[in-house]
Amino acid sequence: MLVIFCTVPDDEVAQKIARALVTEGLCACVNQIPKVKSYYIYEGEFCEESELLLLIKTDASKFKVVERRIKEIHPYDLPEIVATPISDVSSEYRDWVLASLSFDNA
């Protein structure tokens, strides 16, 4: 399993991405964390943005499909799509996550 981190500019984009990923069986759950402040340099310019953070729970086999789908919806030229493996998880939660996924798109 993976948790994929993805920052978004607003609620509208967060909802579009979350709804698409969940209803298409690409992830089991998306959590939206409000009020993330991001500082970075992009194309040589210092940026300071108020964003939201999405935590997307899925199976590692779904990463490329999830990445592609986020890029189709996301308004940024270079969206943050960072995955980290889940090393420990309750067996019941893992089973629910895997049962929630459609494996036809992998």
Side-chain angles (χ1 to χ4, degrees), residues 9-17 32 52 73:
D10 55 40
D11 276 326
E12 182 180 342
V13 173
Q15 290 172 6
K16 284 181 184 176
I17 290 172
Q32 178 180 317
L52 309 172
I73 300 168

Side-chain angles (χ1 to χ4, degrees), residues 76-91:
Y76 294 170
D77 292 335
L78 180 61
E80 174 188 13
I81 305 170
V82 176
T84 188
I86 298 172
S87 61
D88 294 306
V89 61
S90 73
S91 60

Side-chain angles (χ1 to χ4, degrees), residues 4-104:
I4 300 172
F5 299 85
C6 179
T7 51
V8 296
D10 55 40
D11 276 326
E12 182 180 342
V13 173
Q15 290 172 6
K16 284 181 184 176
I17 290 172
R19 182 172 296 277
L21 296 179
V22 172
T23 61
E24 294 169 18
L26 301 177
C27 73
C29 177
V30 178
N31 300 114
Q32 178 180 317
I33 300 173
K35 297 185 181 183
V36 174
K37 194 73 162 184
S38 297
Y39 305 90
Y40 55 94
I41 294 177
Y42 183 67
E43 296 181 342
E45 187 175 319
F46 179 81
C47 302
E48 180 179 330
E49 303 289 339
S50 292
E51 297 180 297
L52 309 172
L53 178 63
L54 302 180
L55 302 179
I56 302 160
K57 275 77 79 188
T58 192
D59 186 71
S61 67
K62 294 289 189 183
F63 178 78
K64 291 295 183 188
V65 178
V66 170
E67 176 186 31
R68 183 175 62 243
R69 193 68 177 105
I70 290 171
K71 287 178 178 179
E72 290 171 356
I73 300 168
H74 209 295
Y76 294 170
D77 292 335
L78 180 61
E80 174 188 13
I81 305 170
V82 176
T84 188
I86 298 172
S87 61
D88 294 306
V89 61
S90 73
S91 60
E92 297 86 1
Y93 188 79
R94 182 194 63 239
D95 293 347
W96 173 77
V97 167
L98 295 177
S100 300
L101 302 176
S102 164
F103 283 91
D104 332 0

